[in-house]
Amino acid sequence: MMLIDEINAANVFQINSEEFIRALHSMKRNKENEIMAIKKKIERYEEKRRQEEAMYRSLSPLKKLFTSRTPSHHQAVAYMVNVKERLKSISSIKQSIALLDKLISDVHSEQSKEEMYLSRLLLEEIKTWKEAEVNEQ
C-alpha cells in the first residue's frame, strides 16, 4: 500500500496494509493512554484543590484572618490552565482517534486499494512508528 501526502504528492511512503493497520492501532492506543494521563492530572489538581479548601475551612476564624488565601481570580486562572485547557486537548485527541478509527475501517473495507492519501502529520507519525518498530527488532 502506498501512503501519499495529500498536499505534496511527491512525499510517498510504502507500507504493507497489515503494518499500516497495526500502526494505526498503536497510534490509537498511545492517544488513549495520553487521554488517561491527562485525566489523572486533572483529578490530582482537583483533589489538591479540595484538600486546600478543606484545610482552610477547618481553620479557626482567628487563623483564617492571618492565613492568606489565593484570590478568586487566581483560582479561576489556575482552573482554566489545569482543567479547561486539558479538557480541550482531550477533545482534540478524541477527534484524532475518530480519524484513526475511520482510517482503520477504510483500510478494512478497501483491502485491494493500493493508494491512500493522508495528512503530512499522520504520514510522519506512521514513519516514526515504523522506524521505532525496526529499532525494537
Side-chain angles (χ1 to χ4, degrees):
M1 173 176 271
M2 291 186 57
L3 305 177
I4 303 169
D5 187 346
E6 60 189 6
I7 295 183
N8 183 7
N11 192 4
V12 177
F13 184 68
Q14 183 75 28
I15 192 170
N16 189 347
S17 61
E18 290 83 24
E19 285 181 313
F20 181 53
I21 292 172
R22 256 194 353 254
L24 292 175
H25 281 294
S26 174
M27 290 169 22
K28 180 181 172 183
R29 239 185 343 270
N30 290 341
K31 291 186 184 300
E32 288 169 348
N33 291 339
E34 188 177 344
I35 287 175
M36 295 305 293
I38 292 171
K39 285 182 179 180
K40 285 181 182 178
K41 287 179 184 178
I42 292 172
E43 288 172 7
R44 281 192 306 240
Y45 166 76
E46 289 178 340
E47 181 64 30
K48 178 184 168 192
R49 190 178 53 81
R50 279 193 297 272
Q51 287 175 352
E52 289 173 353
E53 184 66 27
M55 188 272 309
Y56 183 78
R57 286 186 181 181
S58 69
L59 294 176
S60 67
L62 186 61
K63 285 185 179 179
K64 283 183 183 179
L65 183 64
F66 294 110
T67 304
S68 64
R69 188 173 187 187
T70 55
S72 61
H73 63 279
H74 286 264
Q75 291 174 356
V77 169
Y79 181 80
M80 285 177 49
V81 169
N82 291 304
V83 178
K84 290 273 188 166
E85 294 298 320
R86 289 178 177 163
L87 289 175
K88 285 181 185 177
S89 66
I90 286 175
S91 67
S92 67
I93 292 171
K94 284 183 179 180
Q95 287 176 350
S96 63
I97 287 175
L99 175 69
L100 291 175
D101 284 336
K102 182 184 178 305
L103 282 173
I104 291 169
S105 66
D106 288 349
V107 171
H108 281 302
S109 65
E110 301 175 14
Q111 285 286 344
S112 62
K113 192 173 184 182
E114 288 296 319
E115 296 179 347
M116 185 165 277
Y117 290 91
L118 302 174
S119 69
R120 183 174 12 136
L121 293 174
L122 189 57
L123 197 59
E124 291 300 320
E125 280 187 63
I126 292 171
K127 285 180 183 179
T128 56
W129 175 85
K130 180 73 173 171
E131 290 171 2
E133 185 181 75
V134 168
N135 289 339
E136 287 178 3
Q137 294 175 355

